[in-house]
Amino acid sequence: MRTSTRAVLAFALATALLVAAALWLGRDGDRSGRTVVGLRIWDESLVPAYRASLAEFEQANPDVTVRITVVPWSSYQQKLRLDVAGGTADDLFWTNLYEDYADAGRLLDIGAALGPDAATAWDPSAVAQYTRAGKLWAVPQFVDAGTAVYYNRELLAAARIAPTELSAARWSPSGEDTLRPLLRRLAAVAPWAYNAGHDFQSIELPYLGSNGARFQDDDGRFVFDSPQGVAAFDYVVRLIADGLAPSPADTNTNPDFAKNAFLQGKLALLQSGTFALAQITAQAPFEWGVALLPAGPAGRVSTNNAIGVAANAATRHPDAVRRVLAWLGSGAGNRHLAEGGAAIPAVVSEQQRYRDYWAGKRVDVSPFFDVLRGPRISSGGGPGFSAALRAADPILAEMYLGRIPVPEALSRARAAAEAAVAEH
């Protein structure tokens, strides 16, 4: 081979290597040479709030760019598991089921990254949720407050039901029950009265808790098939069977079906959380309000949940990630979530902004907060919890469809959940 040919080939090889290197490095930086930190979330509606917050961060930290990726909730957990296992997860990601990642050493210790005093600014319930084995594994971003009932004022008026009557509603599997009669009256003026169905946070947990049942006990064992649990689920299933709620054929496969039906004026009552508030305000073409959660034999019982940002332990930019985390956990960085009433900031000092925003819109959000003055039910957790939910889900879906009796379905779902945890 001629020397000139060797030189050409060597140059071509060097060029190819440089191009490959540039493409590889392009995954972690942009053309300006700034470090790129990836942030994964599941809610498109919160992108503007994060953009506004991170614009301030990037102005103060011109060497870092934060790129937001939205993965829809329907596939979020599964894709995150695969990406974390495959080493392709973003540097930062939203989480509400973090225990498996923490136990596997996949997350950064927030206390070590930001210092032990960082958590003092955050909602105590959120800090407790993300604390495991004495360490904090996520920076709380927002809290959901409790569950309440959105109502269509026009449909309530047509059924001659006052909002105060709705707020005083009680349900019982065997005793005094004023909720069911109200729902029957609403069903006479709307296609559906209520969103009874397979909704873990907004329906199942409140009914379990308000009948004196729990999803898990203090040792992490699944106990939702207790006699009180069976009675609670049976009550919800009978509401569906009586035609007072949309068909599980629709709601089992589309978690937004009930919310969309409410926005279309086809559903009179939507039991849900503050995470639906902004969309209902923007899209509901009718007057609406918010009432207290129905009370059960054990009173009004809700869960409150927080969403946190966890840091990938495999990040190649630990310093940049630490700075982004510190910003997102600060009052200045977190307050943007309250603007526009999108979410309740996890930074306690910024939570009044949320209330003030909705007060300015003449929306009374107190039912979401008042319910938390009473007892609460834990939303569960622990190693293998997400696998347990996946294992129980298809059995519960069949139960709502009326294909498996409630006691049998709950027993089978508990066994499947336990097996999933054991296998995990």
Side-chain angles (χ1 to χ4, degrees), residues 66-397:
V66 183
R67 289 180 180 165
I68 301 172
T69 299
V70 178
V71 176
W73 170 252
S74 59
S75 59
Y76 187 91
Q77 302 292 359
Q78 181 179 8
K79 180 168 175 54
L80 181 62
R81 286 193 310 274
L82 295 174
D83 290 347
V84 169
T88 58
D90 295 275
D91 302 282
L92 300 168
F93 49 83
W94 271 4
T95 183
N96 61 344
L97 298 172
Y98 70 95
E99 292 92 343
D100 290 344
Y101 302 124
D103 292 352
R106 301 285 193 170
L107 304 181
L108 293 181
D109 177 346
I110 299 301
L114 303 185
D117 295 333
T120 59
W122 303 328
D123 191 294
S125 65
V127 172
Q129 179 179 335
Y130 289 103
T131 297
R132 180 169 176 80
K135 294 181 179 180
L136 185 64
W137 297 105
V139 173
Q141 289 296 278
F142 55 92
V143 296
D144 287 339
T147 300
V149 178
Y150 297 91
Y151 59 85
N152 183 319
R153 287 185 183 275
E154 297 174 8
L155 294 177
L156 250 65
R160 297 183 180 181
I161 298 173
T164 53
E165 187 179 2
L166 179 61
S167 286
R170 301 185 64 87
W171 76 273
S172 175
S174 57
E176 179 187 5
D177 187 346
T178 62
L179 176 62
R180 182 182 287 273
L182 289 179
L183 297 182
R184 287 179 178 148
R185 290 159 62 186
L186 288 167
V189 299
W192 302 295
Y194 184 49
N195 64 316
H198 190 15
D199 185 326
F200 182 63
Q201 181 171 335
S202 298
I203 297 291
E204 293 170 349
L205 287 177
Y207 274 93
L208 282 171
S210 60
N211 202 38
R214 292 192 289 177
F215 193 78
Q216 281 180 299
D217 64 15
D218 294 337
D219 295 323
R221 293 174 297 192
F222 297 100
V223 293
F224 52 81
D225 63 338
S226 67
Q228 296 91 339
V230 170
F233 274 100
D234 184 68
Y235 184 90
V236 175
V237 169
R238 284 189 291 113
L239 292 179
I240 299 170
D242 290 346
L244 301 175
S247 169
D250 295 314
T251 57
N252 281 351
T253 56
N254 181 2
D256 291 327
F257 185 91
K259 181 177 63 178
N260 292 338
F262 180 79
L263 291 170
Q264 294 163 5
K266 298 178 180 180
L267 180 73
L269 306 179
L270 177 70
Q271 187 165 301
S272 189
T274 54
F275 43 82
L277 190 54
Q279 185 176 2
I280 289 173
T281 301
Q283 299 181 17
F286 49 82
E287 292 189 4
W288 55 273
V290 184
L292 282 168
L293 190 71
R300 289 186 177 86
V301 182
S302 176
T303 187
N304 66 319
N305 192 34
I307 302 303
V309 169
N312 188 347
T315 179
R316 290 193 282 177
H317 313 294
D319 177 67
V321 163
R322 180 193 59 76
R323 282 187 278 160
V324 177
L325 283 173
W327 172 256
L328 293 177
S330 69
N334 194 233
R335 69 177 53 140
H336 290 271
L337 295 177
E339 295 177 0
I344 305 168
V347 176
V348 175
S349 64
E350 304 305 315
Q351 291 180 349
Q352 188 59 43
R353 291 177 181 268
Y354 180 87
R355 291 175 178 259
D356 292 344
Y357 175 85
W358 289 112
K361 296 288 184 180
R362 297 184 179 180
V363 174
D364 181 13
V365 297
S366 61
F368 297 107
F369 296 91
D370 290 347
V371 71
L372 296 178
R373 296 176 183 173
R376 305 182 190 183
I377 180 172
S378 170
S379 58
F385 186 75
S386 58
L389 291 181
R390 292 196 303 275
D393 184 79
I395 301 171
L396 296 178

